Amino acid sequence: MRSNAGKPNCFQLMFGECLNRQGVTKELKKLCSAFQLSPSEKFSIQKRSDEVLRRLENGLEITPRDFVFILVDNFGFKQLGKNAAFDQWSLVIPRIVREKELKAVVFYCDDPSKRISRKPSCIWDDVIADAKGDRAKINELIDSAVGIRMDDYMALG
């Protein structure tokens, strides 16, 4: 079962993957590696890093209706003792939610009767010119432009 070729054999790779998927402790992984039952931690990390880089080289395919967001957080650890320091890290998690997933939770509604119309309801230059100097008309104009009406709720379902 041991590999003498300088790299893990098939059994070691399979067993190492099983250990990763089961979420066993780091100590057990190191013990299995010491007995040469699984690949070393360095090999496992390098293999996963290579896989991530390979996927990134192929690029991401993002369609116009996919939702992309990036979660970013900074965190750090105090290192106490004689050589006290602060170990700073940044965590970046990109997430792409595909159109199919968004439709499943009714984020997109392709029913034309429920879409908001893109037809202009008025000529804004004329409306602004008509409201000039009249405070009540200006307030009404503001409410119609940025206010929320009941038909807005109905249109969005």
Side-chain angles (χ1 to χ4, degrees):
M1 273 194 317
R2 293 190 201 188
S3 175
N4 293 328
K7 64 179 185 174
N9 63 29
C10 295
F11 173 78
Q12 289 172 319
L13 292 173
M14 181 272 309
F15 191 68
E17 189 61 33
C18 288
L19 292 175
N20 286 331
R21 289 180 186 220
Q22 292 298 319
V24 300
T25 63
K26 196 173 190 178
E27 288 76 18
L28 180 59
K29 288 180 189 178
K30 284 183 177 182
L31 179 67
C32 291
S33 177
F35 287 135
Q36 293 188 352
L37 295 173
S38 67
S40 68
E41 185 178 9
K42 180 181 176 185
F43 179 86
S44 298
I45 290 171
Q46 185 63 47
K47 183 179 175 193
R48 288 182 180 196
S49 298
D50 290 344
E51 177 65 20
V52 168
L53 290 174
R54 187 186 61 76
R55 287 184 182 188
L56 286 175
E57 284 175 354
N58 293 339
L60 296 174
E61 188 174 319
I62 301 171
T63 63
R65 294 185 85 180
D66 290 344
F67 183 66
V68 179
F69 59 97
I70 301 172
L71 304 171
V72 181
D73 196 4
N74 294 324
F75 58 97
F77 304 98
K78 287 183 183 177
Q79 295 176 346
L80 303 175
K82 186 177 176 183
N83 298 324
F86 191 77
D87 196 13
Q88 180 84 23
W89 293 82
S90 292
L91 178 68
V92 179
I93 304 173
R95 175 74 166 102
I96 301 171
V97 183
R98 302 288 178 196
E99 180 182 2
K100 180 180 168 186
E101 297 171 68
L102 293 169
K103 282 185 176 181
V105 294
V106 196
F107 186 84
Y108 286 125
C109 180
D110 289 332
D111 183 5
S113 65
K114 292 189 177 182
R115 289 188 192 150
I116 297 174
S117 173
R118 293 186 180 182
K119 277 186 180 177
S121 59
C122 60
I123 299 169
W124 285 103
D125 290 336
D126 295 343
V127 174
I128 292 169
D130 185 43
K132 231 177 208 165
D134 186 354
R135 193 71 197 152
K137 282 188 177 183
I138 291 172
N139 287 338
E140 184 182 325
L141 181 59
I142 291 170
D143 285 341
S144 69
V146 295
I148 299 173
R149 298 182 302 263
M150 188 51 80
D151 59 332
D152 294 333
Y153 289 113
M154 301 306 286
L156 295 174

